[in-house]
Amino acid sequence: MSDERRLPGSAVGWLACGGLSLLANAWGILSVGAKQKKWKPLEFLLCTLAATHMLNVAVPIATYAVVQLRRQRPDYEWNEGLCKVFVSTFYTLTLATCFSVTSLSYHRMWMVRWPVNYRLSNAKKQAVHTVMGIWMVSFILSALPAVGWHDTSERFYTHGCHFLVAEIGLGFGVCFLLLVGGSVAMGVVCTAIALFQTLAVQVGRRADRHAFTVPTIVVEDAQGKRRSSIDGSEPARTSLQITGLVATIVVIYDCLMGFPVLVGEPGGW
């Protein structure tokens, strides 16, 4: 293959990383959902986060690769509309991913810090409403640069596609960075509270076998069968493992997406 027809090394690397990320997230969704007859809020949020990250990886990388391929052709012409679509999609998925991580950490904090309230609330319905709100807010805010909320003295799509917030405009940049920074901070705080509460319960149970436990709630299903637990009650070991999983997800996403977006340097194609 000649050099003119070969993708740049950076594009090939991003495509390889994107393919691995797609496989990993798809495997996670299948693993969580394979044995789920009735979806629980935590599993629903985990799969939603994985699906959001799949889109966040696939769409920008695919668009970048297509642009790089087209630029190798002599008849290539710059397309402003493609840049606008790319910027809106990129920021929609970035915000949706950050908000999804925060909602996951908040949900886990609520589950371990106030277990009785969690078990008595319709957590699944609230999780669905949260996901709908996340996508609505992310789409509305991220569509604004494409329809006029940007720096008019030097438009980000005129000469190439400069898609980082510093290149789009001060107003959008401040709003976007405040949302991402607040989301990252809230996710870290919720995760820290969840970890502290889980570890405190573990230590308390080891020190005192008569430590406080979540009251058992007995309910009847449609067939009249009595059950001694509902969503929200879980063994101590399972609680520690799930909290550790959520904390790991929050740390990885904050390190690989949250902080790089906050301190990122101008870029584009």
Side-chain angles (χ1 to χ4, degrees):
M1 183 181 293
S2 63
D3 293 340
E4 291 78 6
R5 296 182 180 180
R6 186 177 302 167
L7 274 175
S10 59
V12 175
W14 279 111
L15 285 174
C17 293
L20 292 176
S21 179
L22 289 176
L23 290 176
N25 283 279
W27 177 80
I29 293 176
L30 293 176
S31 299
V32 173
K35 297 182 180 180
Q36 295 294 331
K37 295 182 180 179
K38 182 180 179 181
W39 284 87
K40 297 180 180 179
L42 184 64
E43 285 81 359
F44 173 74
L45 290 175
L46 281 172
C47 290
T48 301
L49 174 60
T52 304
H53 189 247
M54 289 176 66
L55 291 174
N56 196 18
V57 171
V59 176
I61 288 180
T63 305
Y64 176 75
V66 169
V67 171
Q68 294 299 328
L69 281 172
R70 291 185 58 189
R71 292 181 68 175
Q72 305 302 314
R73 302 178 58 179
D75 58 343
Y76 170 76
E77 294 183 1
W78 173 243
N79 190 333
E80 296 181 356
L82 179 62
C83 179
K84 293 180 180 180
V85 172
F86 173 83
V87 168
S88 297
T89 304
F90 174 77
Y91 282 112
T92 297
L93 295 173
T94 300
L95 281 177
T97 303
C98 291
F99 290 161
S100 297
V101 174
T102 303
S103 66
L104 181 65
S105 61
Y106 175 80
H107 174 88
R108 187 59 192 170
M109 179 195 68
W110 178 28
M111 191 173 182
V112 300
R113 182 64 182 84
W114 298 281
V116 177
N117 178 270
Y118 172 83
R119 294 171 64 181
L120 295 176
S121 302
N122 193 347
K124 183 177 180 181
K125 183 178 180 180
Q126 294 187 24
V128 173
H129 290 171
T130 299
V131 173
M132 294 173 61
I134 286 172
W135 279 96
M136 181 179 66
V137 172
S138 300
F139 175 78
I140 292 176
L141 176 64
S142 302
L144 294 179
V147 298
W149 194 22
H150 55 258
D151 186 1
T152 56
S153 61
E154 187 176 354
R155 302 180 188 275
F156 66 90
Y157 52 82
T158 304
H159 303 289
C161 191
H162 303 280
F163 54 86
L164 292 192
V165 290
E167 302 293 323
I168 294 178
L170 179 61
F172 174 78
V174 171
C175 183
F176 179 83
L177 293 178
L178 285 176
L179 287 175
V180 173
S183 178
V184 170
M186 183 176 178
V188 172
V189 171
C190 291
T191 302
I193 294 175
L195 278 173
F196 176 80
Q197 183 68 22
T198 304
L199 293 175
V201 171
Q202 296 287 330
V203 173
R205 286 178 177 175
R206 292 178 181 178
D208 185 5
R209 294 183 179 180
H210 301 287
F212 173 77
T213 55
V214 178
T216 301
I217 301 176
V218 180
V219 297
E220 291 186 358
D221 57 16
Q223 288 75 30
K225 296 181 180 181
R226 296 174 65 85
R227 297 184 298 159
S228 60
S229 63
I230 61 175
D231 294 346
S233 59
E234 55 190 13
R237 183 177 180 182
T238 302
S239 177
L240 182 60
Q241 291 175 345
I242 295 177
T243 303
L245 174 63
V246 173
T248 302
I249 292 174
V250 171
V251 171
I252 291 176
Y253 273 83
D254 286 347
C255 292
L256 297 181
M257 174 171 287
F259 294 120
V261 169
L262 293 175
V263 300
E265 298 179 358
W269 68 64

